[in-house]
Amino acid sequence: MSTKEQQERIELLQGTLDLLILRTLQLGPMHGHAIAKAIEFRSNEVLQVEQGSLYPALHRLIKRGWISAAEGTSENNRKAKFYGLTARGRKQLVSKTKHRATSTAEWSRRMRVVRLCSSLET
Protein backbone atom coordinates (compact mmCIF):
# COMPACT_ATOMS: atom_id res chain seq x y z
CA MET A 1 0.00 0.00 0.00
CA SER A 2 1.43 3.38 -0.99
CA THR A 3 1.83 6.28 1.42
CA LYS A 4 -0.99 8.13 -0.34
CA GLU A 5 -3.31 5.12 0.04
CA GLN A 6 -2.38 4.81 3.71
CA GLN A 7 -3.14 8.51 4.28
CA GLU A 8 -6.50 8.19 2.48
CA ARG A 9 -7.36 5.16 4.62
CA ILE A 10 -6.49 7.05 7.83
CA GLU A 11 -8.58 10.04 6.70
CA LEU A 12 -11.53 7.74 5.93
CA LEU A 13 -11.33 6.10 9.35
CA GLN A 14 -10.95 9.42 11.15
CA GLY A 15 -13.83 10.92 9.18
CA THR A 16 -16.03 7.94 10.03
CA LEU A 17 -15.18 8.23 13.74
CA ASP A 18 -15.80 11.99 13.64
CA LEU A 19 -19.22 11.40 12.11
CA LEU A 20 -20.07 8.74 14.72
CA ILE A 21 -19.11 11.11 17.53
CA LEU A 22 -21.08 14.02 16.07
CA ARG A 23 -24.15 11.81 15.58
CA THR A 24 -23.84 10.53 19.14
CA LEU A 25 -23.61 14.04 20.57
CA GLN A 26 -26.88 14.94 18.84
CA LEU A 27 -28.44 13.17 21.83
CA GLY A 28 -26.90 15.73 24.19
CA PRO A 29 -23.63 16.37 26.04
CA MET A 30 -21.73 13.26 27.18
CA HIS A 31 -18.42 12.37 28.75
CA GLY A 32 -15.92 10.28 26.77
CA HIS A 33 -16.80 6.90 28.25
CA ALA A 34 -20.51 7.51 27.58
CA ILE A 35 -19.74 8.45 23.96
CA ALA A 36 -17.80 5.21 23.45
CA LYS A 37 -20.59 3.16 25.06
CA ALA A 38 -23.28 4.91 22.99
CA ILE A 39 -21.41 4.14 19.75
CA GLU A 40 -21.00 0.54 20.85
CA PHE A 41 -24.71 0.27 21.76
CA ARG A 42 -25.96 1.95 18.56
CA SER A 43 -23.83 -0.42 16.47
CA ASN A 44 -25.15 -3.52 18.28
CA GLU A 45 -21.67 -3.93 19.82
CA VAL A 46 -20.01 -4.21 16.40
CA LEU A 47 -17.97 -1.01 16.92
CA GLN A 48 -15.82 -0.58 20.00
CA VAL A 49 -14.01 2.74 20.18
CA GLU A 50 -10.84 2.53 22.24
CA GLN A 51 -9.57 5.46 24.31
CA GLY A 52 -6.50 5.74 22.07
CA SER A 53 -8.81 6.59 19.15
CA LEU A 54 -11.63 8.39 20.96
CA TYR A 55 -9.72 11.10 22.82
CA PRO A 56 -7.54 12.20 19.88
CA ALA A 57 -10.76 12.42 17.82
CA LEU A 58 -12.45 14.51 20.53
CA HIS A 59 -9.46 16.88 20.62
CA ARG A 60 -9.48 17.11 16.81
CA LEU A 61 -13.20 18.00 16.86
CA ILE A 62 -12.65 20.64 19.56
CA LYS A 63 -9.87 22.23 17.46
CA ARG A 64 -12.22 22.37 14.48
CA GLY A 65 -14.90 24.03 16.63
CA TRP A 66 -17.38 21.21 16.02
CA ILE A 67 -17.70 20.25 19.69
CA SER A 68 -17.10 21.99 23.00
CA ALA A 69 -15.91 20.63 26.33
CA ALA A 70 -16.93 21.53 29.88
CA GLU A 71 -16.08 20.10 33.28
CA GLY A 72 -18.88 18.32 35.09
CA THR A 73 -19.78 15.41 37.33
CA SER A 74 -20.57 11.99 35.89
CA GLU A 75 -23.45 9.77 36.94
CA ASN A 76 -21.15 7.98 39.41
CA ASN A 77 -20.20 11.32 41.03
CA ARG A 78 -16.75 11.63 39.44
CA LYS A 79 -15.26 14.67 37.76
CA ALA A 80 -15.47 14.33 34.00
CA LYS A 81 -15.19 16.38 30.85
CA PHE A 82 -18.49 16.59 28.98
CA TYR A 83 -18.51 17.13 25.23
CA GLY A 84 -21.33 18.80 23.35
CA LEU A 85 -22.15 19.60 19.75
CA THR A 86 -21.68 23.23 18.70
CA ALA A 87 -23.72 25.05 16.05
CA ARG A 88 -20.75 24.63 13.72
CA GLY A 89 -20.69 20.91 14.55
CA ARG A 90 -24.40 20.57 13.75
CA LYS A 91 -23.80 22.24 10.39
CA GLN A 92 -20.87 19.90 9.71
CA LEU A 93 -22.97 16.89 10.68
CA VAL A 94 -25.64 17.83 8.15
CA SER A 95 -22.98 18.35 5.49
CA LYS A 96 -21.19 15.05 6.22
CA THR A 97 -24.48 13.15 6.35
CA LYS A 98 -25.54 14.54 2.95
CA HIS A 99 -22.10 13.76 1.49
CA ARG A 100 -22.23 10.21 2.84
CA ALA A 101 -25.72 9.69 1.39
CA THR A 102 -24.57 11.03 -1.99
CA SER A 103 -21.47 8.81 -1.92
CA THR A 104 -23.55 5.77 -1.00
CA ALA A 105 -26.07 6.47 -3.76
CA GLU A 106 -23.27 6.94 -6.30
CA TRP A 107 -21.58 3.70 -5.20
CA SER A 108 -24.90 1.81 -5.50
CA ARG A 109 -25.47 3.24 -8.99
CA ARG A 110 -22.00 2.17 -10.09
CA MET A 111 -22.52 -1.33 -8.74
CA ARG A 112 -25.78 -1.64 -10.71
CA VAL A 113 -23.90 -0.65 -13.88
CA VAL A 114 -21.18 -3.24 -13.16
CA ARG A 115 -23.81 -5.96 -12.59
CA LEU A 116 -25.63 -4.97 -15.78
CA CYS A 117 -22.39 -5.08 -17.80
CA SER A 118 -21.51 -8.45 -16.26
CA SER A 119 -24.90 -9.89 -17.17
CA LEU A 120 -24.57 -8.63 -20.77
CA GLU A 121 -21.19 -10.39 -21.12
CA THR A 122 -22.61 -13.82 -20.25
Side-chain angles (χ1 to χ4, degrees):
M1 183 180 298
S2 72
T3 305
K4 182 180 178 188
E5 289 171 332
Q6 287 176 332
Q7 185 61 34
E8 288 174 353
R9 184 172 184 254
I10 289 169
E11 289 174 7
L12 175 65
L13 292 171
Q14 286 179 345
T16 301
L17 180 55
D18 292 354
L19 182 59
L20 288 169
I21 292 170
L22 294 175
R23 289 187 74 180
T24 300
L25 290 176
Q26 275 186 303
L27 304 171
M30 294 182 198
H31 55 80
H33 182 71
I35 293 169
K37 287 298 177 188
I39 291 171
E40 186 177 333
F41 177 78
R42 291 177 76 188
S43 71
N44 294 319
E45 299 183 11
V46 171
L47 301 175
Q48 296 180 348
V49 182
E50 302 292 330
Q51 288 183 8
S53 299
L54 178 64
Y55 289 98
L58 291 170
H59 290 282
R60 183 172 58 250
L61 295 174
I62 289 170
K63 281 184 181 179
R64 291 178 180 162
W66 298 350
I67 65 172
S68 60
E71 297 291 328
T73 305
S74 68
E75 55 278 351
N76 60 0
N77 211 24
R78 297 177 121 183
K79 286 175 70 173
K81 192 176 282 190
F82 283 78
Y83 302 91
L85 201 54
T86 64
R88 211 166 146 195
R90 281 183 186 78
K91 188 175 181 179
Q92 186 63 25
L93 179 59
V94 169
S95 172
K96 280 184 173 261
T97 302
K98 283 181 183 176
H99 175 72
R100 172 117 358 182
T102 302
S103 297
T104 302
E106 178 63 20
W107 184 82
S108 295
R109 187 188 66 75
R110 288 180 183 180
M111 289 308 296
R112 283 192 300 273
V113 169
V114 168
R115 282 192 294 265
L116 177 62
C117 290
S118 294
S119 67
L120 293 175
E121 290 174 355
T122 57

